[in-house]
Amino acid sequence: MLQIRTSSQLTESIKQKKIGALLSLEESCLSESPASLLSYFFSLGVRIATLTWDYSNLLATSALHAAPGFIGTPSPYIEALLKCPSPQSGLTSKGIDFLEEAEHLGIILDVSHLSDAGFHDIAMHCKRPFLASHSNARAVCGSPRNLSDSMLRILAERGGLTGLCLHEPFLSAVPCSDTELAAAMIQHAKHIRTVAGADVLALGTDFDGTPGNRLIPDITGLSQLERILKKAGFSSDEIEKVFYKNALRFLKENLPA
């Protein structure tokens, strides 16, 4: 395995037929001045960063915090939430500082878990492409963690990606059968392809943070996703784009040289 810090190292890992791995941060508010830590994490090899996780922080409002029906959070987060922006807001001034420092260093910003306002703040202020590493289509499943059609179009216009998330609550808003779950995965993939184009969709399984789903519980089940997409009429080239080509192109273009 090779740690990937640059596009040339990514190319080299493929040449050597070795697994390439790059570090990312999910929830980047690690101090009272998050931007000041970015150069340290960049030196360790961090190349992708989300601003929030499920809960808002000093950088931005989270998708769940902004959602109607948000009723609070476990006690360890209450003190932090008191310092957070309101549910209607996006990035704070510290969030803008973080964004600017990330772009200066060459860290790719990840809008998964951000509120809608936060997404649009990223789109307004970012000069480089960004991604949603694990977010589906809100038109198919109304979770606030998924992306609206307008967001998907912005990602496409900005050269970004969204990773198909296999967590069941982000695929279907209601309990469903195995057949319905497979159909939901197809619906999300087709909708994203229709709205944003075949070059936007990648894999964003979220296997590290969820149990996956009953059809594809972990990476060993991804061949099942290939069969599901093929049966739904996706071409071999489109499936290869979803599985690796889109992400490979995005990383080669946006990692430091």
Side-chain angles (χ1 to χ4, degrees):
M1 180 180 284
L2 294 178
Q3 183 178 358
I4 304 302
R5 297 168 182 258
T6 65
S7 58
S8 58
Q9 287 175 332
L10 176 59
T11 300
E12 186 62 23
S13 72
I14 296 169
K15 185 177 179 181
Q16 294 187 30
K17 297 183 179 180
K18 291 187 176 182
I19 294 171
L22 63 143
L23 295 175
S24 63
L25 290 174
E26 185 176 38
E27 153 68 277
S28 296
C29 190
L30 303 174
S31 77
E32 293 289 322
S33 301
S36 67
L37 294 177
L38 273 177
S39 61
Y40 169 69
F41 284 104
F42 182 83
S43 73
L44 297 180
V46 169
R47 294 296 181 266
I48 298 175
T50 67
L51 278 74
T52 66
W53 182 59
D54 279 351
Y55 308 109
S56 300
N57 57 30
L58 297 177
L59 296 171
T61 301
S62 71
L64 290 186
H65 190 193
F70 179 87
I71 56 172
T73 183
S75 57
Y77 293 93
I78 290 176
E79 183 179 349
L81 270 178
L82 294 175
K83 303 177 183 178
C84 290
S86 73
Q88 288 73 39
S89 60
L91 269 61
T92 65
S93 59
K94 289 189 176 184
I96 299 297
D97 291 343
F98 183 93
L99 178 157
E100 292 174 348
E101 179 65 7
E103 291 212 306
H104 170 71
L105 291 168
I107 294 176
I108 299 164
L109 290 171
D110 181 355
V111 297
S112 284
H113 286 288
L114 270 182
S115 65
D116 290 9
F119 177 100
H120 290 293
D121 283 344
I122 292 280
M124 180 185 299
H125 292 281
C126 264
K127 296 179 175 63
R128 302 176 59 224
F130 53 93
L131 80 159
S133 61
H134 53 304
S135 296
N136 296 330
R138 195 178 296 172
V140 178
C141 173
S143 168
R145 277 280 289 101
N146 291 336
L147 302 176
S148 69
D149 287 359
S150 64
M151 293 176 182
L152 289 169
R153 292 188 188 100
I154 289 170
L155 273 180
E157 291 165 2
R158 300 293 295 275
L161 293 178
T162 189
L164 184 67
C165 183
L166 301 182
H167 186 40
E168 289 192 30
F170 299 158
L171 291 167
S172 175
V174 297
C176 58
S177 66
D178 289 2
T179 301
E180 290 167 334
L181 182 60
M185 287 187 276
I186 292 167
Q187 281 183 284
H188 283 281
K190 283 187 172 181
H191 188 83
I192 292 168
R193 180 182 63 179
T194 298
V195 170
D199 294 335
V200 170
L201 186 60
L203 291 181
T205 60
D206 209 12
F207 286 147
D208 65 322
T210 73
N213 68 53
R214 75 195 88 131
L215 300 181
I216 308 170
D218 56 40
I219 195 170
T220 62
L222 284 177
S223 58
Q224 171 75 346
L225 179 60
E226 179 189 12
R227 287 191 290 271
I228 288 171
L229 292 175
K230 189 172 184 179
K231 188 175 180 180
F234 279 74
S235 68
S236 296
D237 183 57
E238 287 174 329
I239 293 171
E240 287 183 341
K241 284 184 175 184
V242 172
F243 270 69
Y244 78 94
K245 283 184 176 179
N246 287 340
L248 184 62
R249 182 201 71 248
F250 178 85
L251 291 173
K252 282 186 174 180
E253 291 175 353
N254 293 293
L255 286 174

